Amino acid sequence: MHLYSRRIGVLLCCVVASCLSYGQATLQPSSLRCEYVTNPLGIDVSEPRFTWNFISDERNKMQSAYELVVSDNEKEILAGKGKLWTTGKINSNENVNITYSGSPLQSFTRYYWSVKVFDENGKPSQWSKPAWFETALLHANDWSAKWINDGSKNPAIDSEYYKPDRMPLLRKEFSTTKKIVDARLYISGLGYYEAYMNGKKIGDHVLDPGFTTYRKEVLYSVYDMTGMFIRGKNVMGIMLGNGWWNPLPLKLFGRWDLRDYQQTGRPCVTAEIQIQYSDGSSEKIITDESWLGAPGPIVKNNVYLGEEYDARLEEKNWNNDVVNKTNWKNAVIVDGPSGMMTSQMQPPIRITKILKPIKITEAGKDTFIVDMGQNFAGVARIRVKGEAGRKVSLRYGEDLFKNGSLNYMTTVMTQIKKGAIKGGPGAPETAWQQDDYILKGDGVEEWSPRFTFHGFRYVEVTGWPGKPALNDFDGLRMNSDMQEAGTFACSNEQLNKLHDVIQWTFLSNVFSVQSDCPGREKMGYGADIVVTTNAFMYNYDMAQFYRKTVKDFANEQRPEGGITEIAPSTGIDDRGYGDGSGPIGWELAFPYVQKQLYEFYGDKKIIESNYEAFVKQINFLRSKTEGGLLYWGISDHEAIDAKP
């Protein structure tokens, strides 16, 4: 009787549990993303795409249907309603790139969304936790800010570019007296910029914005500034650098001047702050001629050769409340680049790791070698104390000569070396990577370059007051901050080490473009991308990074249809097919990366939007064939044997 009663009890518990869970799936949506990004702060897509993943405590579960809601009101979403878009139950197992088709979206607006899924038995999940996305500029006329700079001009002759050229500082004072509930900064500063509010840096991006074909496209970033204001007077400051927008007339491999192939100009910025107050009112602060400009302490900066900073020229409190305005004058409105303003969706470049040196050796009189213990891309940061006017020089390299001195030859810019290739009028005989800091003589001074990056393990230090110590240096690793998508480990330590080395190499070559090397060339060669795209995607979330890569090549498509060897193009077209196009292995990047984006991320839109350009490319290549085949290309251009 006792056994019978226990069985009845178990049966009743099962029935009750079944009733309680009736209609409730164990499949639950998670990891919601819009345009491949979790809660993107600024998108400029009028019909964004939604993607989600799943969690379940059971195996072999699948989605048979979904329901998705979108609203500008979070409370509505929490109730499972969406006034802008309610799909109703859609019988589909699709959970990738579901395209928005609700009411038209407005610029500068936050939207919330949630999804409910049904498992293979038709049981619904709970509504997901609300996700959100914010629109930025959906229409070209949404942007009201002007391009401004300090009114300085570029030299008239090439050799003058190599002389000191102080980079501009810009500032704007304004007052806020009401409570702020939301504030956003929309900004693009070319070539590079750093922005500050009341003395504090805005965001954690470095080397922003990403390099593009500026005559076609210019990227802007969006920052949440809500907590950065004070009641009363506020000051926004912007520091500008040359980047890729104002390159030196330095001839790549002694032949190609980037200024001949890209739109260039003096450093400039366009920015607007949009403020929402608690009383429902709003305000907009834009870049215009009311801003003030002054020369700053960066006297030289170039993505290849490095940066020189004279701390004696600093404008005290330039980005804060109290400043001596003697050296300041009104900013000048300039034309700026002609490209379309586009929200920067690829992962921004950040400082992703701080390395400490493992050893310092004395290589000669006033010459020290700092060993970071690892080859990587970025810059060095120093802490130094000495008299005003002393110059500390940092020269970078990947290896040492047998005598312990720095071997800088592997990172010399495009082989411009003394006695060999020449870089043009005014160019250094040997185009090595070097940063210089001139002390102001005010206690311990900490500094790192802002507007350049290098590939290195070793730093040669000269001019140091006394003898440097390990704690005086940091290595700042920089790269586009892609999220890890896969990991690898096994019982063979050699394979584990190989995998680790490959990751360092990968991350040294993603600075908004995927490059061949971070020191010598820094360029987005198509073939280098083709042979590693698959591996990158297994290791990192490359969805938005490679969408930019495709756009870079599309922006450089030649009039006859060919695709350039490099994007953004630097003019190099070694063994190409005419009209400035590249060889076949390098042109392949344009369609191949699209194919990979489709296979890894289900991205049909990238193919749809580039289909006409792809057809034009194929027709161009067909016109260059002999009997349907192409008979020339770069081949293995470093081979010792004769090329096939």
Side-chain angles (χ1 to χ4, degrees):
M1 185 67 179
H2 177 69
L3 182 60
Y4 175 77
S5 298
R6 200 162 76 181
R7 286 176 175 171
I8 291 294
V10 172
L11 179 61
L12 287 172
C13 287
C14 291
V15 170
V16 170
S18 177
C19 289
L20 289 175
S21 64
Y22 178 73
Q24 186 66 56
T26 58
L27 189 68
Q28 184 68 24
S30 68
S31 305
L32 277 63
R33 287 170 290 161
C34 175
E35 288 298 316
Y36 300 104
V37 180
T38 301
N39 298 336
L41 189 59
I43 65 172
D44 55 8
V45 181
S46 58
E47 296 179 347
R49 296 167 296 169
F50 304 107
T51 297
W52 57 90
N53 212 323
F54 307 98
I55 55 175
S56 177
D57 56 7
E58 296 182 15
R59 293 181 179 274
N60 301 319
K61 304 297 292 182
M62 64 171 289
Q63 172 189 297
S64 63
Y66 68 86
E67 184 174 353
L68 194 149
V69 290
V70 179
S71 176
D72 58 3
N73 186 303
E74 187 177 16
K75 290 182 179 179
E76 193 175 68
I77 293 298
L78 289 169
K81 299 178 181 179
K83 67 180 180 183
L84 291 169
W85 193 36
T86 300
T87 64
K89 183 179 180 181
I90 304 295
N91 292 317
S92 170
N93 62 1
E94 292 287 336
N95 67 309
V96 175
N97 293 332
I98 305 302
T99 302
Y100 176 82
S101 59
S103 300
L105 301 177
Q106 303 299 312
S107 298
F108 311 119
T109 305
R110 175 170 288 197
Y111 295 97
Y112 302 89
W113 66 286
S114 182
V115 63
K116 176 169 64 177
V117 300
F118 299 79
D119 68 12
E120 70 280 4
N121 298 316
K123 294 181 180 180
S125 69
Q126 297 284 344
W127 284 101
S128 67
K129 182 180 178 181
W132 55 263
F133 64 94
E134 276 191 22
T135 52
L137 292 86
L138 297 182
H139 312 286
N141 58 7
D142 288 332
W143 197 277
S144 54
K146 309 296 184 183
W147 285 99
I148 62 169
N149 67 15
D150 63 348
S152 57
K153 305 293 183 183
N154 271 337
I157 58 176
D158 285 356
S159 59
E160 298 291 316
Y161 277 86
Y162 297 90
K163 293 183 177 181
D165 179 14
R166 295 176 66 181
M167 289 292 98
L169 306 175
L170 295 158
R171 61 179 268 130
K172 172 71 174 179
E173 296 180 9
F174 60 95
S175 295
T176 57
T177 58
K178 296 182 288 187
K179 183 180 179 181
I180 296 172
V181 294
D182 267 316
R184 300 288 183 269
L185 170 65
Y186 305 85
I187 182 170
S188 181
L190 298 183
Y192 295 137
Y193 71 91
E194 281 192 355
Y196 299 83
M197 176 58 68
N198 298 322
K200 297 180 180 178
K201 184 181 174 182
I202 301 170
D204 59 0
H205 299 189
V206 296
L207 302 176
D208 217 36
F211 182 24
T212 55
T213 302
Y214 299 122
R215 68 179 181 276
K216 294 285 189 69
E217 182 179 32
V218 181
L219 302 180
Y220 65 88
S221 294
V222 186
Y223 299 93
D224 185 347
M225 296 178 60
T226 306
M228 301 191 73
F229 296 86
I230 57 177
R231 189 175 292 272
K233 186 167 74 172
N234 290 268
V235 178
M236 182 172 176
I238 300 171
M239 178 183 287
L240 294 175
N242 289 321
W244 297 96
W245 166 248
N246 191 35
L248 293 170
L250 195 56
K251 295 186 182 298
L252 308 174
F253 298 103
R255 294 174 56 188
W256 295 277
D257 181 352
L258 186 60
R259 304 183 71 86
D260 294 334
Y261 299 94
Q262 291 293 332
Q263 188 179 34
T264 61
R266 288 295 296 175
C268 55
V269 62
T270 180
E272 58 185 69
I273 304 171
Q274 297 201 9
I275 304 173
Q276 300 293 326
Y277 295 105
S278 59
D279 64 2
S281 62
S282 62
E283 185 177 7
K284 185 185 292 186
I285 310 295
I286 66 170
T287 47
D288 57 21
E289 62 270 38
S290 69
W291 286 57
L292 298 177
I298 296 178
V299 296
K300 291 182 180 181
N301 72 111
N302 177 260
V303 290
Y304 289 106
L305 301 186
E307 182 173 312
E308 182 174 325
Y309 186 100
D310 190 341
R312 300 170 301 175
L313 301 176
E314 290 177 345
E315 285 281 337
K316 191 174 182 180
N317 296 323
W318 73 273
N319 55 10
N320 215 326
D321 184 16
V322 182
V323 67
N324 181 357
K325 296 183 180 178
T326 305
N327 298 326
W328 296 78
K329 60 182 180 180
N330 284 90
V332 176
I333 295 176
V334 295
D335 289 337
S338 60
M340 178 181 295
M341 300 295 294
T342 304
S343 180
Q344 180 169 280
M345 295 297 292
Q346 86 275 6
I349 302 168
R350 292 188 173 100
I351 297 170
T352 57
K353 192 176 183 66
I354 299 177
L355 290 81
K356 299 299 296 184
I358 61 172
K359 182 171 60 174
I360 297 179
T361 56
E362 194 164 355
K365 184 180 180 181
D366 186 33
T367 304
F368 300 90
I369 302 295
V370 180
D371 182 358
M372 290 295 173
Q374 171 65 52
N375 199 330
F376 66 101
V379 295
R381 180 168 62 194
I382 62 172
R383 285 171 289 274
V384 59
K385 183 178 181 179
E387 70 275 15
R390 174 180 284 270
K391 179 188 285 190
V392 174
S393 296
L394 311 174
R395 189 162 56 157
Y396 299 80
E398 295 178 317
D399 203 357
L400 299 177
F401 289 117
K402 290 182 179 180
N403 65 0
S405 64
L406 183 74
N407 180 355
Y408 52 81
M409 287 301 189
T410 64
T411 57
V412 167
M413 187 262 197
T414 64
Q415 308 297 344
I416 295 172
K417 301 174 184 177
K418 185 176 181 179
I421 296 175
K422 297 184 182 301
E429 285 188 305
T430 301
W432 56 57
Q433 307 174 90
Q434 180 171 314
D435 298 324
D436 297 318
Y437 180 74
I438 301 174
L439 280 71
K440 59 187 173 185
D442 184 15
V444 176
E445 303 173 40
E446 183 173 285
W447 173 79
S448 62
R450 288 174 170 85
F451 301 133
T452 190
F453 64 100
H454 310 297
F456 68 103
R457 170 177 171 173
Y458 301 95
V459 185
E460 178 194 82
V461 182
T462 56
W464 194 271
K467 190 172 182 178
L470 291 175
N471 287 336
D472 295 331
F473 300 90
D474 297 315
L476 306 183
R477 186 184 75 177
M478 300 173 177
N479 56 268
S480 292
D481 193 13
M482 296 103 56
Q483 297 301 302
E484 190 177 68
T487 59
F488 171 82
C490 70
S491 59
N492 187 314
E493 284 306 310
Q494 285 187 311
L495 289 179
N496 291 337
K497 180 61 177 177
L498 176 61
H499 178 74
D500 183 57
V501 169
I502 289 169
Q503 303 316 302
W504 281 95
T505 302
F506 277 179
L507 295 179
S508 290
N509 284 284
V510 280
F511 281 72
S512 85
V513 299
Q514 184 185 322
S515 62
D516 62 322
C517 59
R520 186 181 65 249
E521 298 180 47
K522 308 177 189 267
M523 304 174 197
Y525 283 99
D528 300 65
I529 295 168
V530 167
V531 298
T532 55
T533 297
N534 195 262
F536 263 103
M537 287 178 163
Y538 277 117
N539 285 279
Y540 303 99
D541 181 353
M542 302 296 293
Q544 284 291 358
F545 186 97
Y546 277 147
R547 283 181 63 81
K548 177 187 180 292
T549 298
V550 172
K551 188 72 174 294
D552 287 340
F553 279 100
N555 284 339
E556 293 289 5
Q557 186 166 36
R558 303 299 300 158
E560 293 180 18
I563 297 294
T564 53
E565 181 173 332
I566 299 167
S569 178
T570 58
I572 297 174
D573 56 352
D574 189 13
R575 301 291 289 170
Y577 302 106
D579 192 34
S581 67
I584 187 64
W586 281 250
E587 286 205 35
L588 180 60
F590 180 55
Y592 181 75
V593 176
Q594 293 178 55
K595 179 175 182 288
Q596 291 292 292
L597 286 168
Y598 173 71
E599 291 183 347
F600 271 76
Y601 307 114
D603 194 342
K604 298 178 183 177
K605 190 173 182 179
I606 195 73
I607 296 173
E608 293 170 354
S609 58
N610 289 282
Y611 182 71
E612 290 185 9
F614 172 56
V615 170
K616 188 176 181 181
Q617 180 195 16
I618 292 302
N619 288 337
F620 169 78
L621 291 173
R622 281 175 173 164
S623 72
K624 304 298 179 180
T625 63
E626 299 175 18
L629 295 175
L630 292 164
Y631 281 91
W632 72 93
I634 292 181
S635 189
D636 185 355
H637 65 296
E638 296 294 344
I640 297 175
D641 299 330
K643 297 178 184 179

